[in-house]
């Protein structure tokens, strides 16, 4: 599958209005996408095993989105076949007092995956150029030398993020970034479901509706983020999210393709080790 239409081109102007949240791509329907997802889950399980054995790379997957876009659902479905021992998920919420006493990358840096593992960030350091940009009053709690936000502050943070991600990729940590692009109308429908269905009530808070009032500001913040941080080493993928079956299939396919491109392989056994294995086999076969 060609993923080019979903990549935010590095160095180019990005307008989310040009990306259809309800896009279904090559899928003829839900059943077709589900088959693609099932295949992707199987391939991902295989590549995860080789990634762990190869032990040269780590994979960092970042999910950003508006509320109710389906981040949790994407993680649950796409990663359903992986070995939990080789995968870790971190959900970054409002920074704690300890986290606020550090630089804005600190809490994410200490959650980075080890070589051979897959790490997933449900939200990330990108909140610092999204939520904080929409709500600049949050900067007061960070006690920065510069407490008055201006274009220079955001430019510096974009630069810090790009340098950080470049550093990661140079050290074998592959960075995959997904923005789950849900429409405002679909978000509204999902919020109503959370209110109307008792089993989903726990997923809803009044703050979700309050943030919805800042929709246009968030869209502008996301567009600026894509323009400044979609790079050749860590491009953004803008994934249609109005149909979760499309989201899941696309995300799985992109992850599998990226792992396939690493040319991972199981470690080769030396002749000496092979001889030891044959001796062990002989001993086991001759024993009771």
């Amino acid at each position: 599958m060609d993923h080019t239409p979903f990549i935010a081109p590095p160095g180019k102007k990005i307008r989310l209005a040009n990306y259809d949240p309800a896009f279904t791509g090559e899928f003829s329907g839900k059943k077709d996408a589900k088959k693609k997802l099932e295949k992707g889950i199987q391939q991902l399980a295989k590549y995860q095993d080789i990634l762990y054995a190869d032990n040269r790379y780590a994979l960092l997957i970042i999910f950003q989105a508006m509320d109710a876009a389906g981040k949790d659902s994407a993680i649950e479905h796409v990663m359903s076949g992986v070995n939990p021992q080789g995968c870790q998920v971190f959900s970054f919420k409002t920074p704690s007092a300890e986290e606020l006493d550090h630089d804005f990358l600190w809490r994410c840096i200490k959650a980075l995956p080890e070589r051979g593992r897959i790490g997933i960030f449900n939200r990330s350091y990108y909140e610092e150029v999204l939520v904080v940009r929409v709500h600049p009053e949050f900067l007061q709690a960070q006690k920065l030398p510069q407490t008055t936000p201006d274009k220079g502050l955001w430019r510096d943070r974009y630069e810090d993020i790009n340098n950080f991600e470049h550093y990661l990729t140079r050290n074998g940590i592959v960075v995959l970034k997904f923005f789950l692009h849900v429409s405002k109308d679909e978000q509204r429908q999902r919020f109503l479901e959370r209110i109307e269905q008792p089993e989903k009530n726990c997923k809803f808070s009044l703050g979700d509706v309050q943030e919805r009032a800042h929709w246009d500001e968030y869209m502008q913040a996301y567009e600026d983020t894509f323009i400044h941080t979609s790079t050749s080493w860590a491009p953004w993928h803008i994934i249609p999210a109005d149909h979760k079956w499309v989201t899941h299939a696309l995300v799985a396919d992109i992850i599998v393709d990226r792992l396939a491109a690493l040319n991972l392989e199981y470690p080769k056994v030396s002749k000496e080790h092979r001889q030891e294995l044959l001796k062990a086999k002989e001993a086991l076969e001759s024993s009771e």
Side-chain angles (χ1 to χ4, degrees):
M1 183 185 300
D2 181 15
H3 302 142
T4 306
F6 309 107
I7 295 176
K12 302 290 185 180
K13 278 273 190 182
I14 304 296
R15 290 289 174 262
L16 284 171
N18 296 330
Y19 294 83
D20 181 8
F23 184 69
T24 57
E26 302 174 10
F27 302 118
S28 59
K30 189 172 183 178
K31 186 176 180 180
D32 183 33
K34 187 175 180 181
K35 286 176 61 178
K36 183 70 173 177
L37 173 61
E38 289 172 351
K39 181 180 179 182
I41 290 171
Q42 293 174 0
Q43 292 176 308
L44 181 53
K46 179 189 75 172
Y47 280 121
Q48 183 205 15
D49 190 61
I50 307 174
L51 176 74
Y52 184 81
D54 187 86
N55 202 37
R56 288 181 299 153
Y57 296 96
L59 175 63
L60 174 61
I61 303 171
I62 296 174
F63 286 99
Q64 290 288 157
M66 297 293 286
D67 292 320
K71 296 187 304 300
D72 292 344
S73 176
I75 294 168
E76 176 187 355
H77 286 80
V78 173
M79 310 306 292
S80 60
V82 303
N83 186 335
Q85 294 184 95
C87 182
Q88 54 210 71
V89 182
F90 292 91
S91 296
F92 294 99
K93 302 189 184 297
T94 303
S96 66
E98 179 188 21
E99 289 166 346
L100 288 170
D101 274 339
H102 289 269
D103 62 272
F104 77 91
L105 289 171
W106 180 77
R107 65 175 182 164
C108 293
I109 289 174
K110 65 177 188 169
L112 289 171
E114 305 163 40
R115 295 191 191 282
R117 297 179 181 271
I118 297 174
I120 300 172
F121 286 178
N122 186 341
R123 300 190 188 279
S124 66
Y125 42 84
Y126 278 100
E127 295 293 281
E128 296 295 329
V129 291
L130 295 168
V131 175
V132 178
R133 182 164 181 177
V134 174
H135 298 283
E137 64 273 15
F138 291 167
L139 284 170
Q140 296 300 321
Q142 297 184 12
K143 301 182 179 66
L144 299 175
Q146 178 186 3
T147 56
T148 303
D150 58 19
K151 290 183 179 180
L153 174 63
W154 309 122
R155 184 184 63 245
D156 290 346
R157 288 197 167 182
Y158 294 142
E159 183 180 349
D160 290 338
I161 288 171
N162 288 338
N163 289 337
F164 174 58
E165 291 177 348
H166 208 178
Y167 166 80
L168 294 182
T169 58
R170 284 171 169 168
N171 284 274
I173 300 179
V174 178
V175 182
L176 268 180
K177 303 184 295 196
F178 295 104
F179 170 65
L180 305 189
H181 184 26
V182 69
S183 66
K184 192 175 184 181
D185 185 60
E186 179 63 22
Q187 186 200 56
R188 174 179 171 274
Q189 294 300 322
R190 293 180 186 179
F191 280 166
L192 288 172
E193 285 179 11
R194 291 181 177 184
I195 295 170
E196 293 166 357
Q197 299 178 23
E199 67 274 14
K200 293 186 177 182
N201 286 174
C202 61
K203 293 184 176 181
F204 183 81
S205 72
L206 187 59
D208 295 337
V209 175
Q210 293 170 342
E211 285 302 285
R212 180 177 161 83
H214 297 281
W215 183 274
D216 291 343
E217 295 168 76
Y218 272 109
M219 293 301 102
Q220 182 62 58
Y222 270 110
E223 289 177 350
D224 288 347
T225 295
F226 300 147
I227 291 169
H228 291 94
T229 66
S230 192
T231 59
S232 58
W233 55 89
W236 274 101
H237 295 80
I238 301 174
I239 306 296
D242 276 10
H243 303 294
K244 289 185 178 181
W245 42 274
V246 172
T247 305
H248 300 163
L250 280 175
V251 168
D253 198 59
I254 292 169
I255 295 173
V256 167
D257 272 15
R258 189 65 188 89
L259 287 173
L262 295 178
N263 295 316
L264 301 168
E265 58 184 10
Y266 288 107
K268 290 181 172 59
V269 178
S270 66
K271 290 182 179 180
E272 292 78 10
H273 191 191
R274 183 62 185 166
Q275 288 300 317
E276 291 176 0
L277 291 174
L278 291 174
K279 288 179 181 179
K281 179 183 179 183
E282 184 179 335
L284 286 168
E285 289 177 340
S286 62
S287 66
E288 294 183 358

